[in-house]
Amino acid sequence: MFLMRFTERAYVDYSEEDVRQSFRSAVRLTFPNAHFNPSLGADLYNTYLDEYEYSEEVGFDGLMLNEHHNTPTCMGAAMNLEAAILARTTKRAKIVLLGNPLPIFDNPLRLAEELAEIDMISRGRLVSGFVRGTGIESWATNTNPVYNRERFEEAHDLIIKTWTTPGPWRWEGKHYQFRVVNPFERPLQQPHPPVWIPGIGSPETLIWCAQHHYPYIYLETDPQVTLDLTAIYTEAAKRVGYEPGPQNFGYLVRVHVQDTDEKAYEVGKGFLIGNAGVGRVPLPGDFMAPPGYNSREGAKRIVDQYRRYSLRPDPLYGGVDSAGWEKVVESNRVIVGNPDTVVRKLREVLSVVRPGILGVWTNDGTIGHEDTMRCLALMEHDVLPAVREMGKELGLPGPFEHAP
Amino acid sequence: MPEHAEHTIEVGGATIHYLKGGRGKPLVMLHGAEGSLGWRQYHEQLAESFTVYAPTCPGFGQSERPPWLESFTDLTRFSLWLLDALELSQVTLAGHFIGGWLAAEMAVMSPRTFEHLILIDAAGIQPRDGEIADVFLHGQEGTRQLAYFDPQQVAEYAELFQHKPSKEERDIQTRNQETLVRYCWKPYMFSPSLPGLLGRVQLPTLIIWGQDDRIVPLECSALYQHALPNARVEIIPQCGNCPPLEKPTECVRLIRNFLV
């Protein structure tokens, strides 16, 4: 079992009214950056880096970062910079980037260079995840969403070839063309840093991951939906000749521990304004998925799958509001409690989903630094060792124990 | 009342749908960003004097898009093939919004194919002062709110937009939006070279603009007139981006006066 810690590094110093007054009442994309206070931003970036460094101390195997643009819900607009800092200030934990949104980069070679540097500075601790990005990333960078998947796949192929094929050579693709591909600095890990792919279950991405033997990290999907999605991956893996195991799957879930169930239940409510933003004002659907961003088949499949269950995977889409915090906690979509409660609930989830990688989303929204540090401290002795044992007992090897 | 019918034709390996009706000299009317909205009152009125061809551009509605056709330039070439396949030459070419832009590009590419050019609230030229409203960012509903000076004066508004779309209609709307994004995402709704290229288009041209167009600024009518050697502008007051729907009688009167 590979245990990694995550937070979206939220900025929450704004009001619901501020969100409602933005263009199309959106907390992402068009929410005016006049609401950002760089002094507070400076404090928050440093606090969040401190928390990541402490996460290594308490025993996490990985420090997971993500990237979003034009949003207060995630301050990781330039995730690779945070990764580069952690590469230098931490010593043991993997630096897990989930991930760089490939389609929005016009120069994937620059990305290959940045990631190679991070891999070398960290002495081979980089896990280089790639994502398509939400629709917001396409809007924010003016990347045509119709070509999102094509650009994702081509940029991926170009980066992997850049890392693995001695240069110089030439690339003449549909979306990218380079005369002389020959970045001098190559990654330390050979043939290249591990690639993991996070997502909420686009069938095309699951199949593509299975074909590439890349672990797929479910981003807090409904456990029952997750089983359906795993079946898509498994079927595709079998078609290319292998049987995937827990090492091929990861699961990200919000987990907040406090000394008592009551305190965790109260503090955990801070998650609710995490990636949905203060006020939880629903985002316009076409901001998250502009026309052409999803294949029509993929979009329909996602909707159909989640319609079958009462809770959707992400509070962003209104699931938490309609279900209520109590039901969310009851159904283990967000896990809060004292260490014993959290370990028990994690067993319920891990027994069903069976991931070899567990992403522990410890804090977000209004969950403050003090509560976060207490949560991490409690995890050191009272949660992480138990989850590791549980992983062994349930037969859930991570991708560093068993090659995907 | 002139009859009209839906037809299909094979062009460049794709099946293209078009409506045809009326009598008289041919007039090709290219649709706007919402795709074909069917045979409307303005088609009907035009069909009294002209044989109206209203094709559905590839990728919109039921018209297929060849997989290689991905840019506005390719759309322009393909649309000329379509006229060729329909054996149309020396025709009047008219278009609204992106259809107007397409008409202008077609006239640049093959000026001798046409006898007259009619541009209605056409995209295609970058405004100097304002901006072409971002219909993608506004979304479908927001764009419709911007598109009309007063929806109350759009006789066909309820029929077109105020019923719950069927699954087939929703699928077509999704397809239309995807196609629009494919052709028009960046640069958004204009071609930097178009004003320069229009200088060689000697066709008699009528530029019709809704005075209150909140999508393509009125200044673009003057920019088109400035770029085209033989163009005149007609402004329709109290009208938004879509004169054919909002002021069909006035719009058709201007076209008829120009051509007849």
Side-chain angles (χ1 to χ4, degrees), chain B:
Chain B
M1 187 167 287
E3 289 190 354
H4 75 276
E6 182 166 2
H7 305 266
T8 60
I9 188 167
E10 298 297 311
V11 185
T15 302
I16 299 298
H17 288 242
Y18 66 100
L19 298 167
K20 180 184 173 188
R23 55 177 172 264
K25 295 185 76 171
L27 184 153
V28 176
M29 175 62 77
L30 301 173
H31 60 71
E34 294 223 47
S36 170
L37 296 172
W39 188 260
R40 311 273 31 120
Q41 286 179 9
Y42 72 95
H43 293 114
E44 194 71 22
Q45 292 179 28
L46 284 169
E48 289 170 10
S49 310
F50 310 100
T51 303
V52 176
Y53 292 78
T56 302
C57 289
F60 288 89
Q62 303 287 347
S63 287
E64 294 172 348
R65 178 183 63 82
W68 51 263
L69 199 166
E70 301 197 291
S71 70
F72 211 83
T73 304
D74 291 341
L75 176 65
T76 306
R77 295 185 178 110
F78 185 92
S79 301
L80 287 165
W81 293 0
L82 169 63
L83 298 198
D84 200 36
L86 290 168
E87 298 181 344
L88 291 173
S89 63
Q90 296 304 296
V91 296
T92 293
L93 180 63
H96 161 245
F97 191 22
I98 64 159
W101 177 15
L102 180 57
E105 296 277 7
M106 289 167 72
V108 163
M109 203 173 276
S110 184
R112 289 177 190 160
T113 303
F114 307 106
E115 208 165 58
H116 297 90
L117 181 63
I118 300 170
L119 308 178
I120 306 169
D121 295 74
I125 293 185
Q126 184 178 26
R128 285 186 185 160
D129 300 324
E131 294 172 337
I132 299 175
D134 189 341
V135 300
F136 302 132
L137 200 57
H138 282 275
Q140 193 177 55
E141 279 309 307
T143 299
R144 281 189 190 146
Q145 285 172 22
L146 284 180
Y148 302 96
F149 174 76
D150 178 8
Q152 300 283 336
Q153 63 182 355
V154 181
E156 295 168 299
Y157 194 87
E159 180 192 341
L160 283 169
F161 306 128
Q162 287 182 325
H163 67 282
K164 188 164 186 264
S166 65
K167 185 183 173 303
E168 289 71 27
E169 287 171 319
R170 280 202 313 275
D171 286 348
I172 282 180
Q173 284 174 3
T174 303
R175 186 159 189 264
N176 289 349
Q177 288 168 359
E178 278 179 24
T179 300
L180 192 66
V181 165
R182 189 181 296 278
Y183 297 155
C184 300
W185 183 267
K186 185 168 70 175
Y188 174 69
M189 293 282 183
F190 68 88
S191 162
S193 59
L194 184 57
L197 291 167
L198 286 171
R200 298 264 301 176
V201 176
Q202 300 289 338
L203 293 170
T205 301
L206 173 64
I207 299 165
I208 298 175
W209 226 271
Q211 185 164 31
D212 306 285
D213 189 339
R214 289 180 289 169
I215 294 181
V216 188
L218 184 60
E219 60 170 306
C220 291
S221 64
L223 295 173
Y224 262 113
Q225 187 180 28
H226 182 74
L228 284 156
N230 191 12
R232 76 167 204 246
V233 177
E234 297 283 355
I235 308 293
I236 301 181
Q238 297 195 319
C239 182
N241 170 261
C242 197
L245 288 181
E246 192 160 11
K247 292 287 178 85
T249 304
E250 178 68 2
C251 189
V252 169
R253 186 185 64 78
L254 291 169
I255 292 172
R256 204 177 278 135
N257 288 349
F258 173 63
L259 295 176
V260 179

Side-chain angles (χ1 to χ4, degrees), chain A residues 325-398:
Chain A
W325 175 233
E326 191 179 339
K327 191 168 176 194
V328 169
V329 170
E330 269 176 19
S331 63
N332 290 340
R333 299 304 307 289
V334 174
I335 293 176
V336 295
N338 67 33
D340 290 343
T341 303
V342 162
V343 169
R344 174 176 55 77
K345 284 171 162 269
L346 277 173
R347 175 183 288 277
E348 291 168 12
V349 171
L350 295 178
S351 302
V352 174
V353 179
R354 297 191 55 76
I357 302 160
L358 179 66
V360 181
W361 188 340
T362 55
N363 58 291
D364 219 292
T366 55
I367 299 175
H369 178 59
E370 198 176 315
D371 287 328
T372 298
M373 294 300 273
R374 181 61 190 156
C375 169
L376 292 170
L378 286 167
M379 283 189 170
E380 179 172 13
H381 298 296
D382 301 332
V383 177
L384 299 184
V387 176
R388 268 185 219 294
E389 282 307 308
M390 197 187 300
K392 284 181 194 156
E393 180 202 329
L394 296 173
L396 305 175

Side-chain angles (χ1 to χ4, degrees), chain A residues 103 144-152 174-175 292, chain B residues 70 182:
Chain A
N144 191 327
V146 164
Y147 300 112
N148 181 283
R149 187 168 294 279
E150 287 182 11
R151 286 173 65 93
F152 173 85
K174 177 176 175 185
H175 297 285
Chain B
E70 301 197 291
R182 189 181 296 278

Side-chain angles (χ1 to χ4, degrees), chain A residues 278-306:
Chain A
V278 170
R280 308 184 43 70
V281 182
L283 269 174
D286 52 343
F287 278 19
M288 289 301 272
Y293 168 80
N294 281 319
S295 71
R296 269 163 272 160
E297 186 200 345
K300 184 174 178 305
R301 192 158 190 167
I302 287 170
V303 169
D304 287 350
Q305 270 168 336
Y306 293 132

